[in-house]
Amino acid sequence: MILTACGDSGPDQPQTLGEQFANALNSDDVGAAAALTSDPAQASAAITQVYDGLGKEVQFSVDKTGKSGDDDTITFAASWKLGGGDSPKEWKYTTNATAIDGAEGWRISWDPSVLAPFEAGSTGSLVYRATYPKPARVADSAGRDLLTQQVVTLVNVSPTADTAAVAALLTPVAPTVTAQSMQTDLAAAEGKPITPVALREQDAAPISAALAAIPGVELVQQTRLLTADRALTSPAFNGLSELWQEANDAAAGWEVASIAPDGSAERLIGEDAKTTPDIATTLDTNLQVAAEAALAPIQQPAAIVAIEPSTGGILGVAQNASADAQGPIALTGLYPPGSTFKTVTASAALQAGTVTPDTVLPCPGTENIEGRQIPNDENFDLGQVPFHTAFARSCNTTLGRLAVALPPDALTKAAAQFGLGVDYVTPGLTTVTGSVPPADTPAERVESGIGQGKVTASPFGMALVASSIANNGVSAPMIVQGKPGTGDKTPDQLPPNISSELLTMMRETVTGGTATILNDIPDLRGKTGTAEHGNGPAHGWFVGIAGDVAFAVFVSDADSSGPALEAAGRFLRSEQFRAR
């Protein structure tokens, strides 16, 4: 019997015991591993916690067995893959265990240090976690805080909560959160809790205790990147937040920490987080405020995008709540640009040499051009007028007739010279400029020439057109200083005279054309636009250039360019704009 118990093949020897324990751990069989210890309950709890804290990507093996005095010992080698993903962190170590021969056979004398290099006798736990650097600032062009990391309180509401009591506390600070809205969301959640709001610190502080006292309400704190000024909102912040998060994640360190019962932590292994530089943007907070205020009175979806022509820097991207419900339309929404596209048509005609600004052309009230009956607004008829006058007064018949005579790809090429139809990859900014496909038939060229048919543009795209006219060519868009976008194509260079001729005609649009409502704005240049679509009211547009600010205003279903002109007026006459 003694020989059998001590023989090399005996199942209760330290080597075999160690291999059984390692195999059970590698198979995630907590019960089997715990049963091989002197205290299965304590071992089961500890193994479960370690798996919860570190994951289960681990390989244990018996490194060696031996003696320590009268004790039989087993040395385990462990190798963890931590963090998952394509590049997991690796942690390797060895631990020592004592094997004891008791009434139930050989067992591992339980101590948490069998699993990991705890201090002897520790009852703590392990956790793998990322460690982050000091949060970078996201600053505006003047160096003021634009986005900062802040603590928010998530209000989690379960189906058993009194939504009327919750709403009574939340509605004053979050008007869209009501008892009815929460009941609707809870019904859709099918028994799961909902999070109707995340509160900033200043909003949470006065009501947190009362909220927490409501049964079924749980408050959870998180850190988030938020606007320093709570009144500011912009779809441009989404890309900046993503850029900030990417930099934060790339700079993150990691650690495996031993957590003591009192909550104190000791790092066992890890790497320190790297420093992340602040993100300096081109955004002008004052112009952003002015643009948001200019859109506030408008009920339909509306947007303003402003660009600095000399640099390509994005100065402001604003849209109202109705637009927010549809997504980031200021940057990626595509619409027929209507007569604002006549800037491109005029450029193509001027470059083709078929006209000069002073060429006298007919502007009849309506004309059948290649089977398409083209009317002017309310069928106004100017007779024979110089091209610059036809442009300023937005003669559809004149521009449609000019477009017919152009090659099929002339408008495509001319638009690209202003950045329209070019896809830009811009750090911190996701945009779509628009599409100007070749017009193969005369009828298609008529439609395209007045910004209808297959031609589409985003508010950003038309702001880029205005910026490119002001700059005599495209300045690649940029929202992070020093990091301009890269286009998917390199358009032909714009001839040097084209921008100056367009700027002169756009000035006449303000002084004697369709934008005279803005004639009090010094040296403003612009172009109005009304764009038909489907069966609804027409969209309204205005693109303008005032000093080193180029911008586009878009108002959906406005039925005319009037609301866009009025919004432009509020923007340009604002104290913030005049102080620039």
Side-chain angles (χ1 to χ4, degrees):
M1 293 292 293
I2 295 174
L3 289 173
T4 300
C6 297
D8 292 339
S9 60
D12 54 355
Q13 294 301 302
Q15 176 73 31
T16 302
L17 174 66
E19 290 173 353
Q20 291 173 337
F21 185 70
N23 290 338
L25 291 175
N26 294 339
S27 302
D28 306 333
D29 192 339
V30 175
L36 294 169
T37 71
S38 61
D39 191 337
Q42 290 290 333
S44 177
I47 296 168
T48 299
Q49 189 287 317
V50 169
Y51 282 155
D52 289 344
L54 302 184
K56 297 180 179 180
E57 293 294 318
V58 64
Q59 285 293 314
F60 277 86
S61 61
V62 176
D63 185 53
K64 62 182 179 180
T65 59
K67 285 280 190 179
S68 178
D70 293 333
D71 293 331
D72 291 283
T73 62
I74 307 171
T75 300
F76 291 104
S79 176
W80 291 85
K81 301 293 185 182
L82 303 169
D86 296 331
S87 302
K89 310 298 186 294
E90 189 172 37
W91 183 30
K92 293 182 177 182
Y93 58 83
T94 59
T95 62
N96 294 312
T98 299
I100 55 176
D101 185 10
E104 297 180 353
W106 286 89
R107 295 290 185 268
I108 291 172
S109 178
W110 178 248
D111 187 279
S113 62
V114 171
L115 292 177
F118 290 106
E119 292 292 330
S122 171
T123 58
S125 57
L126 292 180
V127 64
Y128 166 83
R129 59 191 179 188
T131 60
Y132 291 97
K134 178 182 177 182
R137 296 170 60 243
V138 180
D140 74 359
S141 57
R144 297 168 292 195
D145 281 342
L146 186 64
L147 304 173
T148 58
Q149 183 171 279
Q150 301 174 39
V151 175
V152 298
T153 299
L154 305 184
V155 181
N156 296 330
V157 180
S158 73
T160 60
D162 182 347
T163 55
V166 177
L169 294 168
L170 292 182
T171 303
V173 294
T176 61
V177 179
T178 64
Q180 182 59 51
S181 71
M182 283 186 281
Q183 290 167 5
T184 300
D185 292 344
L186 283 166
E190 299 180 343
K192 296 179 180 179
I194 61 169
T195 305
V197 70
L199 299 173
R200 291 181 182 237
E201 281 187 292
Q202 61 267 42
D203 293 330
I207 60 175
S208 287
L211 282 169
I214 300 174
V217 174
E218 179 188 25
L219 303 184
V220 178
Q221 289 192 328
Q222 286 185 352
T223 57
R224 290 187 180 177
L225 191 68
L226 301 176
T227 55
D229 180 349
R230 65 183 304 162
L232 284 181
T233 179
S234 171
F237 297 159
N238 297 336
L240 291 172
S241 296
E242 291 173 3
L243 191 68
W244 179 91
Q245 190 64 56
E246 289 170 4
N248 210 43
D249 291 344
W254 64 278
E255 67 179 12
V256 174
S258 172
I259 311 299
D262 64 2
S264 61
E266 176 191 3
R267 176 189 284 189
L268 301 182
I269 190 172
E271 295 177 0
D272 291 336
K274 304 177 182 66
T275 301
T276 53
D278 293 339
I279 298 175
T281 76
T282 62
L283 291 167
D284 184 319
T285 299
N286 290 336
L287 290 190
Q288 181 68 32
V289 169
E292 291 181 17
L295 299 176
I298 301 174
Q299 298 301 310
Q300 309 99 308
I304 294 177
V305 178
I307 300 176
E308 187 173 62
S310 61
T311 64
I314 308 300
L315 299 173
V317 179
Q319 56 184 49
N320 60 7
S322 298
D324 288 340
Q326 297 183 359
I329 69 168
L331 297 172
T332 60
L334 293 177
Y335 310 92
S339 292
T340 59
F341 189 75
K342 290 173 183 174
T343 52
V344 174
T345 306
S347 172
L350 290 168
Q351 291 185 66
T354 56
V355 292
T356 71
D358 296 323
T359 301
V360 175
L361 300 168
C363 175
T366 183
E367 184 175 3
N368 188 299
I369 307 176
E370 299 296 334
R372 171 76 159 88
Q373 195 66 33
I374 302 296
N376 290 330
D377 187 31
E378 297 183 352
N379 293 320
F380 72 81
D381 188 334
L382 299 183
Q384 298 284 327
V385 293
F387 179 42
H388 61 80
T389 301
F391 177 91
R393 295 288 297 275
S394 204
C395 289
N396 290 333
T397 51
T398 305
L399 273 295
R401 178 61 68 184
L402 285 174
V404 168
L406 295 171
D409 62 350
L411 293 179
T412 306
K413 291 181 176 179
Q417 289 174 312
F418 297 139
L420 191 61
V422 179
D423 286 329
Y424 289 94
V425 176
T426 307
L429 190 69
T430 299
T431 61
V432 178
T433 59
S435 176
V436 186
D440 294 325
T441 68
E444 289 178 343
R445 291 196 285 279
V446 173
E447 294 280 357
S448 296
I450 58 175
Q452 299 279 178
K454 297 180 181 179
V455 174
T456 59
S458 65
F460 167 79
M462 290 312 300
L464 190 61
V465 169
S467 173
S468 300
I469 293 171
N471 189 58
N472 194 40
V474 181
S475 278
M478 172 176 62
I479 196 167
V480 177
Q481 293 184 24
K483 296 184 177 181
T486 302
D488 65 342
K489 63 188 71 171
T490 302
D492 295 336
Q493 185 68 34
L494 193 67
N497 64 303
I498 299 301
S499 284
S500 61
E501 291 173 349
L502 286 175
L503 288 168
T504 300
M505 293 194 291
M506 292 172 73
R507 179 60 183 155
E508 185 178 345
T509 301
V510 176
T511 59
T514 56
T516 54
I517 189 177
L518 301 177
N519 196 22
D520 61 301
I521 310 297
D523 206 32
L524 174 66
R525 291 118 198 287
K527 184 70 190 76
T528 57
T530 302
E532 297 176 358
H533 68 101
N535 297 319
H539 297 319
W541 289 86
F542 180 72
V543 298
I545 302 164
D548 200 16
V549 178
F551 62 94
V553 183
F554 168 77
V555 182
S556 177
D557 297 332
D559 205 27
S560 75
S561 61
L565 283 166
E566 292 167 3
R570 290 190 291 270
F571 176 59
L572 296 169
R573 297 184 185 107
S574 68
E575 180 181 345
Q576 294 92 338
F577 189 92
R578 288 186 286 108
R580 177 176 165 79

Short mmCIF file of all heavy atoms in Angstrom, two decimals, residues 158-190:
data_model
loop_
_atom_site.label_atom_id
_atom_site.label_comp_id
_atom_site.label_asym_id
_atom_site.label_seq_id
_atom_site.Cartn_x
_atom_site.Cartn_y
_atom_site.Cartn_z
N SER A 158 -35.62 51.68 -13.85
CA SER A 158 -36.16 50.33 -14.08
C SER A 158 -37.67 50.40 -14.25
O SER A 158 -38.31 51.41 -13.92
CB SER A 158 -35.80 49.42 -12.91
OG SER A 158 -36.60 49.76 -11.79
N PRO A 159 -38.28 49.32 -14.76
CA PRO A 159 -39.74 49.33 -14.97
C PRO A 159 -40.55 49.53 -13.70
O PRO A 159 -41.70 49.94 -13.77
CB PRO A 159 -40.00 47.94 -15.58
CG PRO A 159 -38.71 47.55 -16.21
CD PRO A 159 -37.65 48.11 -15.32
N THR A 160 -39.95 49.25 -12.54
CA THR A 160 -40.69 49.38 -11.28
C THR A 160 -40.67 50.81 -10.74
O THR A 160 -41.37 51.11 -9.77
CB THR A 160 -40.10 48.44 -10.21
OG1 THR A 160 -38.72 48.80 -9.99
CG2 THR A 160 -40.19 46.99 -10.67
N ALA A 161 -39.89 51.70 -11.34
CA ALA A 161 -39.75 53.06 -10.82
C ALA A 161 -41.01 53.88 -11.06
O ALA A 161 -41.75 53.67 -12.02
CB ALA A 161 -38.55 53.73 -11.45
N ASP A 162 -41.23 54.85 -10.19
CA ASP A 162 -42.34 55.80 -10.34
C ASP A 162 -41.88 56.89 -11.32
O ASP A 162 -41.17 57.82 -10.95
CB ASP A 162 -42.67 56.41 -8.97
CG ASP A 162 -43.85 57.38 -9.03
OD1 ASP A 162 -44.24 57.78 -10.15
OD2 ASP A 162 -44.34 57.76 -7.96
N THR A 163 -42.27 56.75 -12.60
CA THR A 163 -41.78 57.68 -13.62
C THR A 163 -42.26 59.10 -13.40
O THR A 163 -41.59 60.05 -13.79
CB THR A 163 -42.18 57.19 -15.03
OG1 THR A 163 -43.59 57.00 -15.07
CG2 THR A 163 -41.48 55.89 -15.37
N ALA A 164 -43.42 59.25 -12.78
CA ALA A 164 -43.91 60.61 -12.50
C ALA A 164 -43.00 61.29 -11.49
O ALA A 164 -42.67 62.48 -11.63
CB ALA A 164 -45.34 60.54 -11.98
N ALA A 165 -42.55 60.54 -10.47
CA ALA A 165 -41.65 61.12 -9.48
C ALA A 165 -40.29 61.43 -10.10
O ALA A 165 -39.67 62.46 -9.79
CB ALA A 165 -41.49 60.16 -8.31
N VAL A 166 -39.83 60.54 -10.97
CA VAL A 166 -38.55 60.79 -11.64
C VAL A 166 -38.65 62.02 -12.54
O VAL A 166 -37.77 62.88 -12.56
CB VAL A 166 -38.12 59.55 -12.46
CG1 VAL A 166 -36.83 59.84 -13.22
CG2 VAL A 166 -37.94 58.34 -11.57
N ALA A 167 -39.73 62.10 -13.31
CA ALA A 167 -39.91 63.24 -14.23
C ALA A 167 -39.99 64.55 -13.49
O ALA A 167 -39.49 65.57 -13.96
CB ALA A 167 -41.17 63.02 -15.07
N ALA A 168 -40.60 64.55 -12.30
CA ALA A 168 -40.72 65.79 -11.53
C ALA A 168 -39.36 66.37 -11.21
O ALA A 168 -39.18 67.60 -11.14
CB ALA A 168 -41.51 65.52 -10.25
N LEU A 169 -38.35 65.49 -11.05
CA LEU A 169 -37.00 65.95 -10.75
C LEU A 169 -36.21 66.25 -12.02
O LEU A 169 -35.39 67.19 -12.05
CB LEU A 169 -36.26 64.90 -9.93
CG LEU A 169 -36.81 64.63 -8.52
CD1 LEU A 169 -36.19 63.37 -7.93
CD2 LEU A 169 -36.55 65.84 -7.61
N LEU A 170 -36.45 65.48 -13.08
CA LEU A 170 -35.62 65.62 -14.28
C LEU A 170 -36.10 66.69 -15.25
O LEU A 170 -35.29 67.36 -15.90
CB LEU A 170 -35.55 64.28 -15.02
CG LEU A 170 -34.79 63.14 -14.33
CD1 LEU A 170 -34.79 61.91 -15.23
CD2 LEU A 170 -33.36 63.56 -14.02
N THR A 171 -37.40 66.83 -15.41
CA THR A 171 -37.93 67.74 -16.44
C THR A 171 -37.41 69.16 -16.33
O THR A 171 -37.11 69.79 -17.37
CB THR A 171 -39.47 67.72 -16.43
OG1 THR A 171 -39.92 66.37 -16.62
CG2 THR A 171 -40.03 68.59 -17.53
N PRO A 172 -37.23 69.73 -15.13
CA PRO A 172 -36.70 71.10 -15.07
C PRO A 172 -35.31 71.26 -15.69
O PRO A 172 -34.97 72.33 -16.19
CB PRO A 172 -36.67 71.40 -13.57
CG PRO A 172 -37.74 70.53 -13.00
CD PRO A 172 -37.67 69.26 -13.80
N VAL A 173 -34.49 70.20 -15.66
CA VAL A 173 -33.15 70.30 -16.24
C VAL A 173 -33.04 69.59 -17.59
O VAL A 173 -32.12 69.82 -18.36
CB VAL A 173 -32.07 69.73 -15.28
CG1 VAL A 173 -31.98 70.59 -14.03
CG2 VAL A 173 -32.37 68.28 -14.92
N ALA A 174 -34.00 68.70 -17.87
CA ALA A 174 -34.04 67.96 -19.15
C ALA A 174 -35.48 67.95 -19.64
O ALA A 174 -36.21 66.97 -19.43
CB ALA A 174 -33.51 66.54 -18.97
N PRO A 175 -35.92 69.04 -20.28
CA PRO A 175 -37.34 69.21 -20.60
C PRO A 175 -37.93 68.09 -21.47
O PRO A 175 -39.14 67.87 -21.43
CB PRO A 175 -37.37 70.56 -21.34
CG PRO A 175 -36.16 71.28 -20.86
CD PRO A 175 -35.13 70.23 -20.63
N THR A 176 -37.11 67.41 -22.25
CA THR A 176 -37.66 66.36 -23.12
C THR A 176 -37.92 65.06 -22.38
O THR A 176 -38.54 64.15 -22.93
CB THR A 176 -36.70 66.08 -24.28
OG1 THR A 176 -35.43 65.63 -23.77
CG2 THR A 176 -36.49 67.33 -25.14
N VAL A 177 -37.45 64.96 -21.13
CA VAL A 177 -37.67 63.74 -20.34
C VAL A 177 -38.95 63.92 -19.53
O VAL A 177 -39.00 64.74 -18.61
CB VAL A 177 -36.48 63.45 -19.42
CG1 VAL A 177 -36.74 62.20 -18.59
CG2 VAL A 177 -35.21 63.28 -20.23
N THR A 178 -39.96 63.17 -19.87
CA THR A 178 -41.24 63.23 -19.18
C THR A 178 -41.63 61.83 -18.72
O THR A 178 -41.03 60.83 -19.13
CB THR A 178 -42.34 63.78 -20.10
OG1 THR A 178 -42.53 62.85 -21.19
CG2 THR A 178 -41.95 65.14 -20.67
N ALA A 179 -42.67 61.78 -17.89
CA ALA A 179 -43.16 60.47 -17.46
C ALA A 179 -43.59 59.64 -18.66
O ALA A 179 -43.31 58.44 -18.74
CB ALA A 179 -44.31 60.65 -16.47
N GLN A 180 -44.26 60.28 -19.62
CA GLN A 180 -44.73 59.57 -20.79
C GLN A 180 -43.56 59.07 -21.65
O GLN A 180 -43.57 57.94 -22.13
CB GLN A 180 -45.64 60.46 -21.63
CG GLN A 180 -46.23 59.78 -22.85
CD GLN A 180 -47.05 58.55 -22.50
OE1 GLN A 180 -47.92 58.62 -21.64
NE2 GLN A 180 -46.75 57.42 -23.13
N SER A 181 -42.54 59.93 -21.85
CA SER A 181 -41.40 59.50 -22.68
C SER A 181 -40.69 58.33 -22.04
O SER A 181 -40.25 57.40 -22.74
CB SER A 181 -40.44 60.67 -22.90
OG SER A 181 -39.74 61.01 -21.71
N MET A 182 -40.56 58.33 -20.72
CA MET A 182 -39.90 57.21 -20.05
C MET A 182 -40.75 55.94 -20.14
O MET A 182 -40.22 54.84 -20.33
CB MET A 182 -39.62 57.57 -18.59
CG MET A 182 -38.43 58.51 -18.42
SD MET A 182 -37.98 58.79 -16.68
CE MET A 182 -39.25 59.99 -16.23
N GLN A 183 -42.08 56.07 -19.99
CA GLN A 183 -42.94 54.90 -20.10
C GLN A 183 -42.87 54.29 -21.50
O GLN A 183 -42.85 53.07 -21.66
CB GLN A 183 -44.38 55.29 -19.75
CG GLN A 183 -44.58 55.60 -18.27
CD GLN A 183 -45.91 56.28 -17.99
OE1 GLN A 183 -46.74 56.44 -18.88
NE2 GLN A 183 -46.12 56.68 -16.74
N THR A 184 -42.79 55.17 -22.51
CA THR A 184 -42.67 54.68 -23.88
C THR A 184 -41.35 53.94 -24.07
O THR A 184 -41.31 52.85 -24.67
CB THR A 184 -42.75 55.86 -24.87
OG1 THR A 184 -44.01 56.52 -24.71
CG2 THR A 184 -42.60 55.38 -26.30
N ASP A 185 -40.27 54.51 -23.55
CA ASP A 185 -38.95 53.87 -23.69
C ASP A 185 -38.89 52.56 -22.90
O ASP A 185 -38.27 51.58 -23.36
CB ASP A 185 -37.85 54.83 -23.23
CG ASP A 185 -37.69 56.02 -24.15
OD1 ASP A 185 -38.19 55.97 -25.29
OD2 ASP A 185 -37.07 57.02 -23.72
N LEU A 186 -39.51 52.53 -21.73
CA LEU A 186 -39.51 51.31 -20.93
C LEU A 186 -40.28 50.20 -21.63
O LEU A 186 -39.87 49.02 -21.61
CB LEU A 186 -40.11 51.58 -19.54
CG LEU A 186 -39.19 52.30 -18.55
CD1 LEU A 186 -39.98 52.81 -17.36
CD2 LEU A 186 -38.06 51.38 -18.09
N ALA A 187 -41.38 50.57 -22.27
CA ALA A 187 -42.15 49.56 -23.00
C ALA A 187 -41.33 48.97 -24.13
O ALA A 187 -41.35 47.76 -24.38
CB ALA A 187 -43.44 50.18 -23.53
N ALA A 188 -40.57 49.83 -24.81
CA ALA A 188 -39.73 49.36 -25.92
C ALA A 188 -38.56 48.52 -25.41
O ALA A 188 -38.05 47.65 -26.13
CB ALA A 188 -39.21 50.54 -26.73
N ALA A 189 -38.12 48.77 -24.17
CA ALA A 189 -36.97 48.06 -23.60
C ALA A 189 -37.33 46.66 -23.12
O ALA A 189 -36.43 45.89 -22.74
CB ALA A 189 -36.36 48.86 -22.46
N GLU A 190 -38.62 46.32 -23.10
CA GLU A 190 -39.09 44.97 -22.77
C GLU A 190 -38.53 44.46 -21.44
O GLU A 190 -37.94 43.40 -21.35
CB GLU A 190 -38.73 43.99 -23.90
CG GLU A 190 -39.37 44.36 -25.24
CD GLU A 190 -39.00 43.39 -26.33
OE1 GLU A 190 -38.02 42.64 -26.15
OE2 GLU A 190 -39.69 43.36 -27.37
#
